[in-house]
Amino acid sequence: MGTPEFAVETLKCLVEGGYNVVAVITKPDKPFGRHQDSLQPSAVKQYALSIGLPLLQPVKLKDPTFLEKLKSYNADLQVVVAFRMLPEEVWAMPRFGTFNVHAALLPQYRGAAPINWAVINGETLTGVTTFFLDKNIDTGRIIMQKTFEIKDDYNVENVYDGLMSLGASIAIETIDKIIAGNGNVLSMPQEQMVSTSVILHNAPKIFTETCKIKWDDNCKKVYDFIRGLSPYPGAWTTITSPDAKSNVLKIFKTTKTILPSNDRLPGSISANDGKLLIATSTNWLQLDEIQLSGKKKMDAKTFLNGFRDIENYSLV
């Protein structure tokens, strides 16, 4: 059970590893286009159809027709990767249960956007976790974990690609353990994984308003925030001209500097020798890859060619 490209890697490893995949469940096709008059199949659906696997796309997971069809496959085990919250009627159906591959080291970063929030929060280590599903979101007994280093110049895409491969690997190892134990495998309650002094971070869904940059944060925090939303959905700010006209500016890549911003207001702009610098509460942050609303992505030098008095503008 899965939807995006992240889930395809696990499904592909199952198929190529000779495991008996009796069916694939993914979300209904998504309307897209200017008039929402075309349908886009999920990455999982495209792969499943390409190799002829049976496919189900339920609108409602409690629909009796869907449940009856799912039960007819008589699966021993269900594997979930980047899908939806399942009702008990679904996750309790197989004799070996249902496990999920989560892109974080649970119980840290429970929720819909664990990769983004780990980078936004400046984490240097994340990973993948397999756990048995239960009635709550991302709270089930942990089976296995694998770690992944988040380097300081990594953005979400770098971490996504690394965890996608690691997720497929841990899924296979988890399945092998479950098969070897005939359904019995060592697992641990999440409350035993951390001490009471550890602060748990959540990973809620990200919305447009979530992505607005706060220039009065320190330089490192703004830097992490931007790479934690790059390349998608993209951190944004508003660029305002001296005559109070404004436009949305997305920022995808930056470089930290050791230059203190001193008494300059956060969001102030400085330009010198093709470099575009923005003041934070501590240091100047160099913008490297940006995109004005309605324009293509561009580097700072190209951007500056369109502004003669950029230092009279500000970002808010």
Side-chain angles (χ1 to χ4, degrees):
M1 300 183 181
T3 296
E5 179 191 11
F6 192 92
V8 175
E9 187 70 16
T10 297
L11 177 57
K12 186 177 180 182
C13 285
L14 286 171
V15 171
E16 294 180 353
Y19 295 85
N20 183 23
V21 181
V22 295
V24 173
I25 294 88
T26 192
K27 72 174 183 180
D29 294 356
K30 182 180 180 181
F32 79 105
R34 184 174 181 180
H35 302 291
Q36 299 285 286
D37 54 357
S38 299
L39 293 176
Q40 176 67 43
S42 71
V44 164
K45 177 179 180 177
Q46 294 179 58
Y47 176 76
L49 291 180
S50 74
I51 57 174
L53 287 174
L55 183 75
L56 299 178
Q57 293 180 273
V59 175
K60 296 181 179 179
L61 295 175
K62 292 185 178 182
D63 179 75
T65 302
F66 164 68
L67 292 173
E68 183 179 353
K69 184 64 176 178
L70 184 62
K71 189 174 182 180
S72 72
Y73 289 115
N74 196 32
D76 296 301
L77 178 68
Q78 290 174 160
V79 182
V80 180
V81 186
F83 191 48
R84 296 155 60 184
M85 184 176 180
L86 303 183
E88 186 171 357
E89 296 94 319
V90 174
W91 58 257
M93 190 178 291
R95 66 188 183 112
F96 291 164
T98 301
F99 77 83
N100 181 275
V101 178
H102 187 72
L105 298 174
L106 292 174
Q108 292 287 4
Y109 295 103
R110 293 170 176 158
I115 300 176
N116 297 92
W117 285 108
V119 180
I120 287 171
N121 288 337
E123 302 285 2
T124 58
L125 193 70
T126 186
V128 288
T129 301
T130 52
F131 67 96
F132 285 115
L133 294 191
D134 62 14
K135 294 180 180 179
N136 298 311
I137 298 176
D138 300 335
T139 60
R141 295 177 64 93
I142 290 176
I143 308 166
M144 292 185 67
Q145 291 188 322
K146 287 179 177 287
T147 59
F148 179 86
E149 180 186 3
I150 304 177
K151 295 182 179 179
D152 188 61
D153 61 345
Y154 278 8
N155 64 11
V156 165
E157 186 172 41
N158 302 129
V159 183
Y160 182 99
D161 290 344
L163 295 186
M164 180 168 62
S165 176
L166 201 60
S169 171
I170 199 173
I172 298 298
E173 290 184 39
T174 299
I175 290 168
D176 288 345
K177 280 191 173 189
I178 293 172
I179 292 173
N182 196 32
N184 295 314
V185 62
L186 183 65
S187 60
M188 181 179 294
Q190 292 191 31
E191 54 267 27
Q192 294 183 15
M193 301 288 288
V194 293
S195 66
T196 55
S197 61
V198 173
I199 298 174
L200 294 181
H201 299 284
N202 291 319
K205 187 175 180 179
I206 290 174
F207 299 95
T208 300
E209 56 269 26
T210 314
C211 304
K212 191 174 190 302
I213 299 167
K214 298 177 181 177
W215 294 107
D216 54 358
D217 282 335
N218 66 59
C219 186
K220 174 66 163 61
K221 194 169 183 179
V222 177
Y223 171 81
D224 290 337
F225 184 81
I226 291 169
R227 67 190 180 104
L229 295 166
S230 178
Y232 182 82
W236 64 273
T237 186
T238 300
I239 183 167
T240 304
S241 67
D243 58 359
K245 292 181 180 179
S246 62
N247 199 353
V248 172
L249 181 70
K250 282 195 171 184
I251 303 174
F252 298 96
K253 187 177 180 182
T254 65
T255 300
K256 290 175 292 182
T257 78
I258 60 173
L259 302 171
S261 51
N262 296 325
D263 58 348
R264 295 296 297 272
L265 289 174
S268 298
I269 300 174
S270 175
N272 185 28
D273 196 26
K275 292 183 179 180
L276 180 59
L277 303 175
I278 312 299
T280 69
S281 66
T282 54
N283 293 48
W284 291 96
L285 184 69
Q286 178 178 310
L287 305 193
D288 300 321
E289 186 177 27
I290 52 188
Q291 182 180 23
L292 270 173
S293 180
K295 304 290 185 180
K296 294 181 179 180
K297 287 183 183 180
M298 61 186 81
D299 59 28
K301 188 173 183 179
T302 303
F303 175 81
L304 288 171
N305 288 337
F307 293 87
R308 293 183 178 179
D309 56 347
I310 189 65
E311 295 192 359
N312 292 323
Y313 286 67
S314 62
L315 302 184
V316 293

mmCIF file of all heavy atoms in Angstrom, residues 260-266 268 279-284:
data_model
loop_
_atom_site.group_PDB
_atom_site.id
_atom_site.type_symbol
_atom_site.label_atom_id
_atom_site.label_comp_id
_atom_site.label_asym_id
_atom_site.label_seq_id
_atom_site.Cartn_x
_atom_site.Cartn_y
_atom_site.Cartn_z
ATOM 1 N N PRO A 260 28.433 39.434 10.139
ATOM 2 C CA PRO A 260 27.331 39.854 11.013
ATOM 3 C C PRO A 260 26.474 40.913 10.339
ATOM 4 O O PRO A 260 26.979 41.782 9.632
ATOM 5 C CB PRO A 260 28.049 40.402 12.245
ATOM 6 C CG PRO A 260 29.397 40.811 11.754
ATOM 7 C CD PRO A 260 29.753 39.853 10.667
ATOM 8 N N SER A 261 25.167 40.815 10.562
ATOM 9 C CA SER A 261 24.253 41.791 9.954
ATOM 10 C C SER A 261 24.122 43.047 10.803
ATOM 11 O O SER A 261 23.459 44.010 10.410
ATOM 12 C CB SER A 261 22.875 41.161 9.729
ATOM 13 O OG SER A 261 22.399 40.552 10.914
ATOM 14 N N ASN A 262 24.763 43.033 11.984
ATOM 15 C CA ASN A 262 24.828 44.199 12.884
ATOM 16 C C ASN A 262 23.462 44.840 13.103
ATOM 17 O O ASN A 262 22.525 44.189 13.510
ATOM 18 C CB ASN A 262 25.864 45.195 12.346
ATOM 19 C CG ASN A 262 27.263 44.631 12.353
ATOM 20 O OD1 ASN A 262 27.617 43.871 13.263
ATOM 21 N ND2 ASN A 262 28.070 44.967 11.358
ATOM 22 N N ASP A 263 23.352 46.118 12.787
ATOM 23 C CA ASP A 263 22.116 46.829 13.114
ATOM 24 C C ASP A 263 21.120 46.855 11.952
ATOM 25 O O ASP A 263 20.129 47.582 12.003
ATOM 26 C CB ASP A 263 22.422 48.265 13.543
ATOM 27 C CG ASP A 263 23.171 49.049 12.476
ATOM 28 O OD1 ASP A 263 23.651 48.422 11.512
ATOM 29 O OD2 ASP A 263 23.271 50.284 12.607
ATOM 30 N N ARG A 264 21.371 46.086 10.900
ATOM 31 C CA ARG A 264 20.437 46.064 9.779
ATOM 32 C C ARG A 264 19.183 45.289 10.159
ATOM 33 O O ARG A 264 19.240 44.229 10.801
ATOM 34 C CB ARG A 264 21.087 45.425 8.552
ATOM 35 C CG ARG A 264 22.252 46.212 7.999
ATOM 36 C CD ARG A 264 21.845 47.586 7.465
ATOM 37 N NE ARG A 264 20.929 47.484 6.357
ATOM 38 C CZ ARG A 264 21.309 47.370 5.080
ATOM 39 N NH1 ARG A 264 22.597 47.344 4.773
ATOM 40 N NH2 ARG A 264 20.413 47.294 4.123
ATOM 41 N N LEU A 265 18.033 45.776 9.735
ATOM 42 C CA LEU A 265 16.776 45.104 10.029
ATOM 43 C C LEU A 265 16.705 43.761 9.305
ATOM 44 O O LEU A 265 17.120 43.656 8.142
ATOM 45 C CB LEU A 265 15.593 45.974 9.595
ATOM 46 C CG LEU A 265 15.313 47.227 10.422
ATOM 47 C CD1 LEU A 265 14.210 48.044 9.756
ATOM 48 C CD2 LEU A 265 14.915 46.854 11.847
ATOM 49 N N PRO A 266 16.202 42.707 9.974
ATOM 50 C CA PRO A 266 16.024 41.420 9.292
ATOM 51 C C PRO A 266 15.193 41.597 8.021
ATOM 52 O O PRO A 266 14.169 42.277 8.026
ATOM 53 C CB PRO A 266 15.288 40.583 10.334
ATOM 54 C CG PRO A 266 15.706 41.158 11.640
ATOM 55 C CD PRO A 266 15.823 42.635 11.398
ATOM 56 N N SER A 268 16.558 42.993 5.341
ATOM 57 C CA SER A 268 17.258 44.007 4.544
ATOM 58 C C SER A 268 18.123 43.325 3.491
ATOM 59 O O SER A 268 18.608 42.201 3.687
ATOM 60 C CB SER A 268 18.141 44.881 5.445
ATOM 61 O OG SER A 268 17.371 45.590 6.389
ATOM 62 N N ALA A 279 19.726 40.102 5.415
ATOM 63 C CA ALA A 279 20.017 40.165 6.847
ATOM 64 C C ALA A 279 19.061 39.283 7.638
ATOM 65 O O ALA A 279 17.846 39.302 7.413
ATOM 66 C CB ALA A 279 19.903 41.602 7.337
ATOM 67 N N THR A 280 19.620 38.494 8.549
ATOM 68 C CA THR A 280 18.833 37.757 9.533
ATOM 69 C C THR A 280 19.084 38.426 10.888
ATOM 70 O O THR A 280 19.710 39.487 10.952
ATOM 71 C CB THR A 280 19.227 36.276 9.584
ATOM 72 O OG1 THR A 280 20.552 36.168 10.140
ATOM 73 C CG2 THR A 280 19.216 35.650 8.186
ATOM 74 N N SER A 281 18.656 37.814 11.959
ATOM 75 C CA SER A 281 18.879 38.426 13.273
ATOM 76 C C SER A 281 20.337 38.335 13.716
ATOM 77 O O SER A 281 20.730 39.005 14.670
ATOM 78 C CB SER A 281 17.987 37.759 14.321
ATOM 79 O OG SER A 281 18.373 36.400 14.504
ATOM 80 N N THR A 282 21.143 37.539 12.999
ATOM 81 C CA THR A 282 22.556 37.394 13.389
ATOM 82 C C THR A 282 23.494 37.744 12.246
ATOM 83 O O THR A 282 24.226 38.724 12.321
ATOM 84 C CB THR A 282 22.828 35.955 13.862
ATOM 85 O OG1 THR A 282 22.392 35.027 12.848
ATOM 86 C CG2 THR A 282 22.123 35.663 15.173
ATOM 87 N N ASN A 283 23.466 36.948 11.165
ATOM 88 C CA ASN A 283 24.399 37.128 10.051
ATOM 89 C C ASN A 283 23.646 37.329 8.739
ATOM 90 O O ASN A 283 22.451 37.085 8.647
ATOM 91 C CB ASN A 283 25.313 35.904 9.923
ATOM 92 C CG ASN A 283 26.254 35.746 11.087
ATOM 93 O OD1 ASN A 283 25.842 35.817 12.233
ATOM 94 N ND2 ASN A 283 27.519 35.534 10.810
ATOM 95 N N TRP A 284 24.429 37.744 7.722
ATOM 96 C CA TRP A 284 23.863 37.820 6.376
ATOM 97 C C TRP A 284 23.766 36.407 5.794
ATOM 98 O O TRP A 284 24.649 35.578 5.985
ATOM 99 C CB TRP A 284 24.765 38.657 5.468
ATOM 100 C CG TRP A 284 24.793 40.113 5.821
ATOM 101 C CD1 TRP A 284 25.725 40.738 6.601
ATOM 102 C CD2 TRP A 284 23.870 41.118 5.406
ATOM 103 N NE1 TRP A 284 25.442 42.083 6.708
ATOM 104 C CE2 TRP A 284 24.289 42.347 5.980
ATOM 105 C CE3 TRP A 284 22.716 41.115 4.620
ATOM 106 C CZ2 TRP A 284 23.620 43.540 5.777
ATOM 107 C CZ3 TRP A 284 22.042 42.304 4.419
ATOM 108 C CH2 TRP A 284 22.484 43.505 4.991
#
